[in-house]
Amino acid sequence: MDTHTPMRAEPGTLGHDLRHHGDAEVRDDGSALVDLAVNVRADTPPVWLRERVAASLGSLAAYPDGRAARDAVAERHGLPVERVLLTAGAAEAFVLLARALKVRRPVVVHPQFTEPEAALRDAGHTVDRVLLRAADGFRLDPAAVPEEADLVVVGNPTNPTSVLHPAGVLAGLARPGRTLVVDEAFMDAVPGEREALAGRVDVPGLVVLRSLTKTWGLAGLRIGYVLAAPETVAELERAQPLWPVSTPALAAAEACVAPRALAEAAHAAHRVAADRAHLVAGLAEFAGAGLRVVGPAEGPFVLVRLPDAAAVRRRLRGLGFAVRRGDTFPGLDEEWLRLAVRDRATSDRFLRALERALPTPA
């Protein structure tokens, strides 16, 4: 696909494996590889968080009670509790939105996390795609979103492009009768969470999704939440099964929005930004080999384009590194790879491996 040509995919078209995710790169024979494919922060969860989760195990005989965690999330964002819904990760929220909301013209802005579209299609919806262009740095032109769309889904910062869209641009997508879903799963990895819409109550139809699995290393626990108008939260809650979030996950949620955790996450965001700058500077050394980095990257990952990327990815596996293929994201093809940001020592080892994996100049 030519990502330099603006296009809107025809309803009902697929052409990409929407259910392929980064964890597939490090399962089975990839389990011993250095993981640059999954966007969970390394060396997490921290000891204090593991201890909080472990302490909750003594309560497993009782049914989960999410009130304290829900109150804590509401306080963290300065919202009334009626605007908060706890979910088993952000992925559950996409399923709830697809099943509970009565929409006629859903639109997903790509390239982005593919689960929202997969959930909508599984629920029987016909989905339009708005494909952002590489030539524009995958920046969103609001005019590309059809006026008749009554559900719009966009990531910020966007996985896999690492683009951070201005909050004003996203808020400008709101319309009467439209639900605007902004996936902020990686926003806590952005210093100062600038451009966040979480906590806003002045944007009609706004639904913000947050995940606690990325920054805190809780992908195996499944915990996230929805911030939305009370009537939307009520609709989604009716679509949930009973007790959808486990007691250990509730304990983690309460802990991860406490002041101590927020301070630690803020510090980690600055560290990730510095480590990302180091990685991007190293990648720039391969410009002569045709490698290009989408920038400015603002998430804990970067998207790169290079000739023969599929073969380079295979060679990197042989050299001990797993990276995320890009061709499963609508709007990208086999020339794209996504790289998770790691500490400088790991990035330096990766860059040396990349030098070996790139084709030898003729």
Side-chain angles (χ1 to χ4, degrees), residues 65-333:
D65 183 349
R67 289 176 295 177
R70 195 173 181 181
D71 287 345
V73 171
E75 182 177 357
R76 181 255 193 271
H77 291 288
L79 294 171
V81 70
E82 294 80 11
R83 283 182 166 268
V84 175
L85 181 67
L86 302 175
T87 60
E92 188 205 8
F94 292 125
V95 173
L96 296 177
L97 288 163
R99 292 178 178 176
L101 299 186
K102 305 299 186 290
V103 296
R104 301 177 307 279
R105 182 78 185 275
V107 169
V108 179
V109 179
H110 285 291
Q112 77 149 326
F113 184 50
T114 54
E115 203 59 31
E117 180 173 328
L120 285 163
R121 292 184 181 279
D122 286 348
H125 297 284
T126 298
V127 182
D128 271 357
R129 295 172 178 170
V130 170
L131 302 181
L132 305 186
R133 307 189 314 163
D136 298 330
F138 296 108
R139 300 282 158 182
L140 175 62
D141 176 3
V145 178
E147 278 296 320
E148 60 271 25
D150 57 357
L151 173 69
V152 178
V153 185
V154 61
N156 204 38
T158 304
N159 170 23
T161 64
S162 209
V163 168
L164 184 65
H165 302 291
V169 169
L170 297 186
L173 292 173
R175 301 282 189 279
R178 172 184 288 177
T179 300
L180 172 62
V181 179
V182 182
D183 176 9
E184 292 188 351
F186 294 99
M187 187 61 78
D188 57 357
V190 176
E193 296 196 2
R194 66 188 192 281
E195 313 303 345
L197 291 175
R200 294 275 295 270
V201 297
D202 61 324
V203 181
L206 176 65
V207 176
V208 174
L209 308 185
R210 286 287 182 109
S211 170
L212 297 172
T213 65
K214 316 301 183 185
T215 286
W216 297 110
L218 297 173
L221 199 58
R222 311 309 306 143
I223 180 64
Y225 54 88
V226 177
L227 306 175
E231 57 270 22
T232 301
V233 167
E235 279 189 86
L236 300 180
E237 194 168 19
R238 282 193 291 271
Q240 273 188 315
L242 289 173
W243 310 292
V245 181
S246 70
T247 295
L250 292 171
E254 191 174 356
C256 289
V257 297
R260 169 188 173 175
L262 295 180
E264 184 172 324
H267 177 74
H270 285 283
R271 187 171 66 249
V272 166
D275 289 341
R276 182 181 60 239
H278 180 78
L279 173 61
V280 170
L283 292 169
E285 299 297 319
F286 300 107
L291 188 149
R292 298 291 182 269
V293 181
V294 175
E298 300 284 359
F301 46 87
V302 297
L303 182 66
V304 302
R305 188 177 197 174
L306 71 159
D308 209 15
V312 171
R313 173 176 156 270
R314 289 192 294 270
R315 294 186 198 110
L316 284 169
R317 291 183 73 84
L319 294 168
F321 289 87
V323 299
R324 173 65 158 90
R325 57 190 279 202
D327 62 316
T328 64
F329 293 100
L332 303 183
D333 58 25

